[in-house]
Amino acid sequence: MDLYTQTCLDCSKIITNNYSTSFSLGIKAFDKKFRPPIYAIYGFVRFADEIVDTFHDQDKESLITQFRKDTVEAIERKISLNPVLHAFQLVVTQYHIEFHLIDAFLKSMEMDLDKTRYTDDSYKAYIYGSAEVVGLMCLRVFCEGNHQLYATLLPKARSLGSAFQKINFLRDIKSDFEERGRTYFPGIDFTKFTEADKQEIEKDIKADFDDALEGIKQLPAGSKLGVYIAYVYYLKLFEKIRATSAQTIASKRIRIPDAQKIFLMAQALIKNKLNFV
């Protein structure tokens, strides 16, 4: 591997470690061959999300438009002077990640520029593009060209991405609504967020989680533990949210302390060694 490529992949790893404790720990549990490509995917989606979520003093629309153009050019030319995009295009090329997945992701990011309320259809489209396709990109890496396995696990990977995103929505209700004016869950008034509203959302998340676990059990050995660790983290966060009142959820961000994440990782390692996963 040339120095430039290695440096670009290292940049994506730094981005992942700086932005997400949960995913960083999960990635460390992957077989070494899977770590660089997953870091590259995370770096790409993280920076796109950063544009629409935090660059409030910038022209977000022009930035995300330029990011889309630069992404397409990097994939077509198979090189970019943007280290995040160079690392990402390497993975897209090596693992034959379809552009329609990348396009759906970028469309969801573009929806965040001006869309603040969602219908059932736009809600499903947003979750597919912002989360499910990211899981499918990772699944392409894990399956390493095994198209039959990819097709089998595709719906399960979508369920896992959907569950993660819906939990993020619940966790971030306060900041999304108050700071960005966004209401992702259709038909819900967050100025009057009720226990019934919360329970309906939780029922939907549980169905996604139950479906996803069956897919995790069928993943290749080199990726199963890492995905399971991420699943366990989010499941614990989900349990904590379920035990918290709707009023509290709407007023503060619920999180899992880093020390507890490490404990959950240790538990997952033990279960994996005992073939319980």
Side-chain angles (χ1 to χ4, degrees), residues 44 65-79 85 88-89 99 102-103 106:
F44 170 76
T65 298
Q66 187 62 52
F67 190 76
R68 172 186 278 276
K69 289 179 180 177
D70 291 344
T71 298
V72 172
E73 182 175 322
I75 294 169
E76 289 177 346
R77 297 183 64 181
K78 294 183 172 53
I79 191 169
L85 293 183
F88 181 65
Q89 68 80 22
F99 185 76
I102 301 164
D103 182 55
L106 291 171

Side-chain angles (χ1 to χ4, degrees), residues 13-275:
K13 180 179 179 180
I14 290 169
I15 292 164
T16 308
N17 290 339
N18 285 352
Y19 275 95
S20 178
T21 304
S22 300
F23 284 109
S24 295
L25 288 172
I27 291 173
K28 288 176 182 176
F30 290 145
D31 188 288
K32 288 183 179 180
K33 65 182 177 181
F34 291 139
R35 295 175 197 172
I38 300 303
Y39 284 134
I41 292 171
Y42 184 88
F44 170 76
V45 301
R46 180 67 262 170
F47 270 22
D49 192 58
E50 194 75 357
I51 292 171
V52 298
D53 272 359
T54 64
F55 293 175
H56 304 308
D57 58 343
Q58 301 291 328
D59 182 347
K60 296 180 182 181
E61 185 173 359
S62 66
L63 286 175
I64 197 69
T65 298
Q66 187 62 52
F67 190 76
R68 172 186 278 276
K69 289 179 180 177
D70 291 344
T71 298
V72 172
E73 182 175 322
I75 294 169
E76 289 177 346
R77 297 183 64 181
K78 294 183 172 53
I79 191 169
S80 175
L81 294 181
N82 178 325
V84 170
L85 293 183
H86 184 67
F88 181 65
Q89 68 80 22
L90 287 168
V91 177
V92 170
T93 300
Q94 180 177 350
Y95 295 96
H96 306 288
I97 293 173
E98 304 92 329
F99 185 76
H100 69 81
L101 299 178
I102 301 164
D103 182 55
F105 169 74
L106 291 171
K107 282 179 179 176
S108 284
M109 295 302 96
E110 290 158 359
M111 289 170 75
D112 270 336
L113 292 174
D114 51 25
K115 197 165 189 65
T116 56
R117 294 188 179 275
Y118 288 76
T119 63
D120 286 338
D121 287 343
S122 59
Y123 170 68
K124 290 175 183 175
Y126 182 85
I127 289 177
Y128 173 73
S130 64
E132 294 178 24
V133 300
V134 179
L136 296 180
M137 291 181 206
C138 294
L139 185 61
R140 274 293 183 205
V141 173
F142 300 147
C143 290
E144 297 184 283
N146 186 332
H147 301 298
Q148 183 176 350
L149 180 62
Y150 177 83
T152 299
L153 296 182
L154 185 151
K156 309 295 184 184
R158 288 188 61 179
S159 292
L160 185 62
S162 178
F164 285 179
Q165 185 64 292
K166 290 168 187 173
I167 290 170
N168 287 341
F169 289 162
L170 271 180
R171 180 195 62 191
D172 298 334
I173 280 177
K174 185 177 187 296
S175 59
D176 281 335
F177 185 64
E178 293 183 1
E179 298 173 18
R180 306 179 184 101
R182 297 178 193 157
T183 301
Y184 288 107
F185 296 110
I188 292 180
D189 180 358
F190 283 115
T191 62
K192 302 173 183 177
F193 188 49
T194 68
E195 290 297 332
D197 292 332
K198 179 170 168 285
Q199 288 170 12
E200 190 64 28
I201 294 167
E202 290 168 351
K203 181 180 177 181
D204 190 31
I205 293 172
K206 186 178 185 306
D208 282 334
F209 259 131
D210 291 345
D211 189 48
L213 183 59
E214 293 306 309
I216 293 171
K217 292 176 181 178
Q218 299 174 60
L219 282 169
S223 61
K224 183 188 298 184
L225 178 58
V227 176
Y228 180 67
I229 287 171
Y231 168 88
V232 167
Y233 290 159
Y234 268 86
L235 183 61
K236 179 57 68 174
L237 179 59
F238 181 46
E239 291 171 355
K240 193 169 182 177
I241 287 173
R242 293 179 78 177
T244 305
S245 69
Q247 183 178 6
T248 302
I249 291 294
S251 62
K252 74 174 187 178
R253 192 176 195 265
I254 306 300
R255 64 181 301 274
I256 301 296
D258 289 346
Q260 189 172 11
K261 290 177 182 177
I262 293 171
F263 176 73
L264 291 170
M265 181 178 182
Q267 283 187 319
L269 287 167
I270 293 170
K271 285 186 178 181
N272 185 64
K273 283 190 175 182
L274 296 175
N275 293 319

